[in-house]
Amino acid sequence: MTSRRREGVAGETLRFRYDGRDYEGLRGDTLAAALLANGVRAVVRSGGLGRPRGIYASWTEEPNALVQIEEPFPEPMLQATTVELYDGLVATGLGGRGRLADRPDPARYDAVHAHCDVLVVGAGPAGLAAATAAAASGARVILADDRPAAGGCLPDTGETVDGVSGTTWAAGMLAELAGRPEARVLPRTTVFGYYDDNYLVAVERREEGAASRERIWRIRARRVVLATGAHERPIAFAGNDRPGVMLAGAARAYANRYGVLAGRRAVVFTTGDGAYDAARDLAAAGVEIAAVADVRRDAHALDEALAVAGPLAGTEVLTGHVVTGVGSAPDGSVASVTVSGPSGEREIEADLLLVSGGWNPVVHLFSQSGGALRFDEELHAFVPGEAAQAVEVAGAARGVYTLAGCLEDGVATGTRAAEAAGFRVPPHPVPAAERVTALPSGRLWLVPADDYETHFVDLQREVTVADVMRATGAGLRSVEHVKRYTTAGTAHDQGKLFGVLTSAVVAHATGVEIGDLGTTTFRAPYAPVSFAALAGRDRGMLHDPVRVTSLHGWHAAHGALFENVGQWKRPWYYPRPGEDMETAVLRECRAVREGAGAMDASTLGKIDVQGPDAAEFLDRLYTNMMSTLKVGAIRYGVMCRADGMVFDDGTVMRLAEDRFLATTTTGNAAAVLDWMEEWLQTEWPSLRVYCTSVTEHWATVALAGPRSREVLAGLAPGLAVDAASFPFMTWRDAEVAGIPARVCRISFSGELAYEINVNAWDGLALWEAVVGTGVVTPYGTETMHVLRAEKGYPIIGQDTDGTVTPADLGMDWVVSKKKADFVGKRSHARADTSRPDRKHLVGLLPEDPGLLLPEGAHLVATSRLPEPPVRALGHVTSSYRSAALGRTFALALVSGGRERIGERLYVPLGGDPVPVTVTHHVLYDPEGARRDG
Amino acid sequence: MLLIPCPWCGPRDEAEFHYGGQAHVAYPADPAALSDEEWARYLFFRDNPKGRFAERWSHTAGCRRWFTLTRDTATGVFESEAGA
Ligand SMILES: [Zn+2]
């Protein structure tokens, strides 16, 4: 492979492998620069059409050269133009999709939250000038730049500032910022999102050896200065996707920044002066400039501009000419360029075609911030209009294209931003640069032709002018619609090179002005961001908190399987050797119904409600009366939303005249506390009530079964446990196993049962004492569910879904008729909540007693499904095998269910619907005889 | 992400707050006295203006207080900010 490196360029040699071949590059190269240096022109084959594609740009706007990094760690869909070369890099070209890593990523990703007075985005001439001016005021300044080195386009253009090279000047500016304790410079940091209230998000690609591979910066800035530069614009012409067709500024960048020549003999196709600077630099570096095709017809002015001694002297300038075709070599790359114009049509031999359709200010972040864009008729470009946030735009990003202008604009903007943030900026010198005057640019978006099938409007998405015309021909007028129809400007591009071009072609095809048509909406992210970076450390164990009870270690040591309930891990069941879930649960159920079982109930939400008005407060929130509860007693209660639908249920114990302890369902504890606070603060601020979550203060052991009284008596010799001394729905303070405890006589299984509450740190000792009696079987949530379902006790959130009233659940008894009002009461009197066809909670017995209905299955009226639509009468909410019933059973919400008891309904399960009989929802011990033991 | 001026804690990130919808929709003094339609209006009907909107927020991950702010729903700007 011949080297395309400029003479005299040297550095540390790095070895890399691309598409299975070994190459060498230099430290400081991007992968794209190194490939060009090795003469690799066709770097990928396009995904859809299979056309060879070459490197088109020099930075994050690259559409063609997408690569998969294989080593050191697989990463898909990176742009070869932004991948910094390192020794041992292995990459392959991608036509289309990449591959995700098939092994865990060993790297760490991190996040930083930062605040500043002035955030400057972009460390080009304007950004550096703005940042140094702002920082001179003492303001907290962050300067973020997506390149490894500061200077923006200066290393690409080789221009001088203050009499020194651009890179030397930029280094000086960084040194000045380093001396400002309140200034921070973030290289390799792409600001990719601009959100409300000057909240910007950036990704930093950190250097090898840093504590993390990438970091997300979430920055809240008082003022923002966007110095994001401009992207050179492509032109749509036949064959504009051939390898060797390249943006003029990119070829200049490869020559000046990397010392790499992108070709040997070039044709330049331009609408303005900028390409001449590129051509001049390339000519000086040894590239032969065969001709310049300039769309502008004003030959006289151009001749004057070019009548200079130097590398371009004598170069043929074809005014009023355009490129109408590209001839290709066997590898598909440019071999010749056909130009036509007033002088006729000519084919010129060349391996490089430099394109410059003018410049688009990078308005992405400004547009994301809500700022308006307007079309500037002189610049032929969309520029920032009215801002919607505390943001200013400096330099090329607002259409100032000369170096001197950018430096001046940067100082002025940085000064303005710091002063708007409340700082005083001392007089700041404007760095000096050569002043040049440019001729007005021409405007050309596409070269007219009869056939637009290879006039590419988006190279990555392979959208041609013909495709856009098909879209407008189909009647699409909005550029937003055309974007979605053709995908032009999506993916990596996000409108960088191809958004405005798409607008232009749509405007051309529909005969409207581009300024009236506008652009598509710019959205975050400006450049691709990995999910790993966004996730940061919030993965694995840190993804979501895991909550465990003080008994968790015991459960795990005794083989419990766990169920996730909200963030809690709850023991699901405790299989013995050889048991599957079904046998284990049947055994646990039998143990509770026939002997005694113990369950860890610590996860139930517990809210301490105190204050002189606590009883009144609970009366207003619960459907039933809580103020009549005696100290020492417990009441089951239901809460509704104002719409009358059941929100949560639990028990309320009265600890003192002015103090209650309310329990909630495990998953709803935080929501119930929020609910209480909302009513207290927003509707009843006069009530003197304080609510405190005490869920984690207590460990709770549910002891259930006919033998539970005997077990409790043995553990708490000081406690009178007979039914008269310790009746149902009361609580007592006692010592249990020598531990201070609060014992409640409540039951969620229908059996004689207790809940023993102790300090969380005593939980394990209590549990071991209970289980250590030898007669108590540990049981998990599955058994708890079966037992409560046999009794028809609903689980809020499983048997209800926010459309269910207490009456629907058959729980009229829990709704007070005496209270003038409670939250939800008025809704229970609405016509809708007394409709006879409301869904009621009922039991279901499949006619096949071994058939376990799937939860969520629908119920229909007929044994054969009629033609759709089929009316579903309701659905199965809970379904289990019952040891006590010796069969399967289910709970269901069924339209008019209570009137259907005894009826046969059907459940479609794929084949013929299976018959089930509707029953009352209480299937076990309907008289409630067992709760007293 | 909005910067929400909590009257107790000062400006904080939106992620710390829960939204509470339209403000000044008081719980009726005597719900039993309302017709079904009037009650339904309290339950289900809320304004959805483009522009000025008084709304409730709760600083759930901070001081846990409820408060009311007026915001322009089109620009996201809170009135206390605009006036400052
Ligand atoms: Zn607060």
Side-chain angles (χ1 to χ4, degrees):
Chain A
M1 220 28 101
T2 39
S3 173
R4 300 289 181 88
R5 197 72 70 168
R6 288 175 74 167
E7 270 176 49
V9 176
E12 185 192 345
T13 301
L14 305 174
R15 281 152 308 163
F16 70 103
R17 177 173 272 255
Y18 184 75
D19 275 348
R21 299 183 65 164
D22 292 317
Y23 299 102
E24 287 182 349
L26 295 181
R27 183 165 297 283
D29 279 350
T30 59
L31 176 58
L35 287 170
L36 285 171
N38 283 278
V40 182
R41 288 160 65 77
V43 292
V44 296
R45 230 163 232 290
S46 69
L49 302 171
R51 289 169 71 92
R53 289 283 168 77
I55 291 157
Y56 189 78
S58 65
W59 189 237
T60 187
E61 64 274 27
E62 170 63 34
N64 286 336
L66 295 174
V67 298
Q68 169 94 26
I69 303 297
E70 310 285 1
E71 299 292 341
F73 185 77
E75 271 195 283
M77 301 296 273
L78 299 186
Q79 292 157 302
T81 50
T82 61
V83 173
E84 290 180 51
L85 195 67
Y86 41 87
D87 204 48
L89 177 75
V90 178
T92 45
L94 286 176
R97 296 190 188 90
R99 297 182 313 279
L100 291 173
D102 52 7
R103 55 184 199 253
D105 186 347
R108 170 178 282 178
Y109 298 85
D110 233 325
V112 189
H113 292 260
H115 293 78
C116 63
D117 298 305
V118 180
L119 168 65
V120 180
V121 183
L128 284 169
T132 46
S137 72
R140 294 170 302 165
V141 173
I142 294 178
L143 172 61
D145 186 77
D146 62 354
R147 296 265 197 181
C153 63
L154 290 174
D156 299 338
T157 64
E159 288 164 290
T160 59
V161 182
D162 279 345
V164 296
S165 80
T167 45
T168 306
W169 173 78
M173 292 295 103
L174 290 188
E176 184 180 328
L177 288 170
R180 306 277 186 202
E182 296 294 343
R184 187 202 291 272
V185 178
L186 300 174
R188 293 188 174 82
T189 302
T190 308
V191 178
F192 63 82
Y194 194 142
Y195 303 92
D196 286 312
D197 288 324
N198 269 7
Y199 186 79
L200 292 91
V201 184
V203 60
E204 177 191 9
R205 295 167 298 280
R206 306 184 75 188
E207 281 185 275
E208 200 64 41
S212 58
R213 185 159 180 264
E214 293 183 355
R215 277 200 293 202
I216 295 289
W217 285 80
R218 300 190 170 91
I219 304 169
R220 187 77 76 172
R222 248 185 246 287
R223 306 289 307 184
V224 172
V225 174
L226 297 175
T228 44
H231 289 137
E232 199 165 25
R233 216 148 58 186
I235 300 170
F237 56 86
N240 64 339
D241 67 327
R242 290 285 177 201
V245 178
M246 186 182 275
L247 292 171
R252 189 185 191 193
Y254 286 115
N256 288 334
R257 186 187 284 261
Y258 304 106
V260 173
L261 302 183
R264 299 182 192 288
R265 184 176 154 89
V267 170
V268 179
F269 180 22
T270 185
T271 62
D273 283 5
Y276 291 88
D277 296 328
R280 196 175 289 117
D281 284 2
L282 288 173
V287 177
E288 186 187 346
I289 305 298
V292 177
D294 193 319
V295 302
R296 293 173 292 184
R297 289 172 187 280
D298 191 348
H300 172 70
L302 287 172
D303 282 348
E304 246 176 40
L306 287 169
V308 286
L312 279 188
T315 300
E316 186 176 18
V317 176
L318 300 161
T319 56
H321 279 62
V322 295
V323 171
T324 51
V326 178
S328 58
D331 69 349
S333 66
V334 175
S336 68
V337 176
T338 305
V339 297
S340 40
S343 71
E345 189 173 88
R346 237 196 321 154
E347 190 176 353
I348 304 168
E349 194 188 320
D351 64 352
L352 189 60
L353 172 51
L354 303 180
V355 178
S356 179
W359 297 85
N360 284 329
V362 179
V363 294
H364 293 63
L365 292 175
F366 181 80
S367 178
Q368 286 182 30
S369 77
L373 302 180
R374 63 174 180 84
F375 191 76
D376 186 304
E377 291 293 342
E378 277 172 32
L379 294 171
H380 316 299
F382 288 96
V383 295
E386 198 183 334
Q389 299 200 38
V391 56
E392 278 146 298
V393 186
R398 67 177 193 90
V400 176
Y401 292 149
T402 64
L403 176 55
C406 285
L407 293 165
E408 198 174 354
D409 199 34
V411 169
T413 311
T415 302
R416 227 170 23 244
E419 289 184 343
F423 293 83
R424 187 163 296 278
V425 181
H428 200 82
V430 176
E434 190 192 350
R435 296 204 170 265
V436 291
T437 29
L439 294 172
S441 291
R443 191 195 293 191
L444 180 73
W445 308 101
L446 77 166
V447 175
D450 297 329
D451 171 3
Y452 285 117
E453 294 294 341
T454 63
H455 281 56
F456 284 90
V457 172
D458 184 326
L459 292 168
Q460 183 184 359
R461 291 303 203 179
E462 302 194 90
V463 179
T464 63
V465 170
D467 293 325
V468 173
M469 287 181 169
R470 272 190 281 275
T472 55
L476 303 186
R477 288 296 174 268
S478 156
V479 69
E480 297 282 8
H481 292 157
V482 173
K483 169 185 169 181
R484 282 153 186 79
Y485 189 77
T486 62
T487 71
T490 62
H492 288 64
D493 188 55
Q494 292 302 308
K496 292 185 198 74
L497 293 184
F498 304 119
V500 174
L501 183 57
T502 303
S503 287
V505 174
V506 171
H508 169 85
T510 57
V512 301
E513 291 298 323
I514 184 173
D516 297 333
L517 186 69
T519 66
T520 55
T521 308
F522 292 96
R523 291 197 177 85
Y526 167 73
V529 184
S530 69
F531 280 110
L534 292 172
R537 295 198 189 195
D538 300 338
R539 28 200 298 196
M541 282 294 286
L542 298 179
H543 175 62
D544 197 34
V546 173
R547 301 174 77 184
V548 297
T549 74
S550 58
L551 311 181
H552 186 80
W554 191 96
H555 304 317
H558 289 78
L561 297 180
F562 291 92
E563 181 183 23
N564 295 325
V565 183
Q567 293 167 330
W568 288 102
K569 295 277 179 204
R570 298 197 69 180
W572 194 14
Y573 59 98
Y574 300 80
R576 287 181 180 168
E579 281 185 339
D580 59 8
M581 177 171 173
E582 187 182 322
T583 27
V585 171
L586 286 172
R587 171 180 55 74
E588 290 176 11
C589 287
R590 207 171 293 118
V592 177
R593 291 273 183 243
E594 294 170 9
M599 184 186 70
D600 182 356
S602 308
T603 62
L604 282 183
K606 303 170 202 75
I607 301 171
D608 186 309
V609 182
Q610 296 191 46
D613 299 316
E616 166 69 17
F617 172 62
L618 295 178
D619 272 352
R620 296 186 192 183
L621 279 190
Y622 283 91
T623 58
N624 44 351
M625 195 77 93
M626 291 299 176
S627 54
T628 55
L629 196 60
K630 302 243 179 320
V631 174
I634 305 173
R635 194 162 284 165
Y636 171 77
V638 167
M639 276 187 226
C640 291
R641 299 268 187 194
D643 64 5
M645 304 304 151
V646 174
F647 163 50
D648 201 64
D649 71 342
T651 58
V652 176
M653 355 176 177
R654 191 162 203 165
L655 305 178
E657 275 307 309
D658 60 352
R659 187 171 184 190
F660 296 80
L661 189 90
T663 67
T664 75
T665 54
T666 295
N668 236 0
V672 172
L673 183 64
D674 285 348
W675 182 241
M676 290 178 165
E677 282 291 345
E678 181 178 345
W679 284 94
L680 275 175
Q681 291 182 35
T682 66
E683 291 291 348
W684 309 318
S686 62
L687 291 186
R688 293 159 298 168
V689 180
Y690 305 91
C691 302
T692 310
S693 168
V694 294
T695 302
E696 264 124 333
H697 299 207
W698 298 93
T700 305
V701 176
L703 174 63
R707 295 186 66 185
S708 58
R709 179 177 286 133
E710 159 199 337
V711 171
L712 181 63
L715 291 170
L719 180 64
V721 295
D722 60 285
S725 310
F726 192 178
F728 187 55
M729 296 308 266
T730 60
W731 62 268
R732 300 286 182 264
D733 281 342
E735 273 202 358
V736 180
I739 301 163
R742 175 163 296 150
V743 187
C744 304
R745 223 196 109 190
I746 53 182
S747 175
F748 196 45
S749 57
E751 301 296 328
L752 173 68
Y754 303 87
E755 282 184 8
I756 310 167
N757 299 280
V758 296
N759 277 316
W761 55 82
D762 286 330
L764 183 59
L766 173 69
W767 177 266
E768 285 181 332
V770 169
V771 175
T773 58
V775 295
V776 178
T777 302
Y779 68 96
T781 51
E782 188 66 17
T783 291
M784 178 268 284
H785 274 277
V786 177
L787 299 175
R788 64 89 201 173
E790 290 170 345
K791 287 291 295 176
Y793 298 150
I795 296 277
I796 305 306
Q798 173 168 338
D799 299 296
T800 69
D801 61 3
T803 67
V804 178
T805 66
D808 296 338
L809 295 173
M811 300 204 323
D812 284 310
W813 55 269
V814 86
V815 180
S816 166
K817 308 285 181 290
K818 294 186 199 136
K819 289 196 285 188
D821 193 28
F822 57 83
V823 174
K825 181 178 169 76
R826 177 63 184 81
S827 291
H828 295 157
R830 290 176 66 226
D832 185 64
T833 45
S834 51
R835 269 181 16 235
D837 64 343
R838 284 192 69 81
K839 287 180 181 168
H840 300 148
L841 185 71
V842 292
L844 295 180
L845 294 175
E847 290 192 6
D848 171 358
L851 177 75
L852 186 68
L853 296 171
E855 290 173 354
H858 285 260
L859 290 146
V860 296
T862 54
S863 63
R864 298 186 68 85
L865 281 180
E867 284 301 303
V870 182
R871 181 167 176 249
L873 297 174
H875 69 279
V876 175
T877 57
S878 295
S879 177
Y880 308 101
R881 284 177 207 284
S882 165
L885 303 175
R887 54 161 303 135
T888 59
F889 73 105
L891 297 176
L893 287 170
V894 177
S895 175
R898 281 196 289 277
E899 313 310 315
R900 294 180 190 271
I901 288 172
E903 266 182 38
R904 177 191 277 174
L905 294 178
Y906 299 87
V907 181
L909 293 177
D912 282 337
V914 299
V916 298
T917 305
V918 179
T919 69
H920 191 270
H921 60 285
V922 183
L923 285 161
Y924 181 76
D925 184 29
E927 307 78 25
R930 300 184 58 88
R931 71 175 193 213
D932 288 321
Chain B
M1 174 155 23
L2 292 172
L3 194 62
I4 299 177
C6 172
W8 309 97
C9 307
R12 297 295 181 99
D13 281 352
E14 182 183 347
E16 296 180 14
F17 296 81
H18 274 184
Y19 186 59
Q22 183 175 357
H24 311 310
V25 182
Y27 187 74
D30 184 6
L34 300 186
S35 68
D36 270 10
E37 192 187 326
E38 288 165 332
W39 179 248
R41 203 153 273 286
Y42 162 71
L43 280 183
F44 304 124
F45 285 68
R46 295 294 183 271
D47 297 336
N48 185 23
K50 180 180 180 179
R52 252 184 126 239
F53 193 43
E55 55 194 10
R56 307 185 313 150
W57 292 89
S58 171
H59 194 185
T60 40
C63 63
R64 299 190 56 79
R65 306 306 296 172
W66 282 89
F67 55 91
T68 298
L69 288 175
T70 300
R71 185 175 63 108
D72 186 317
T73 59
T75 63
V77 176
F78 292 97
E79 275 191 8
S80 56
E81 290 178 334

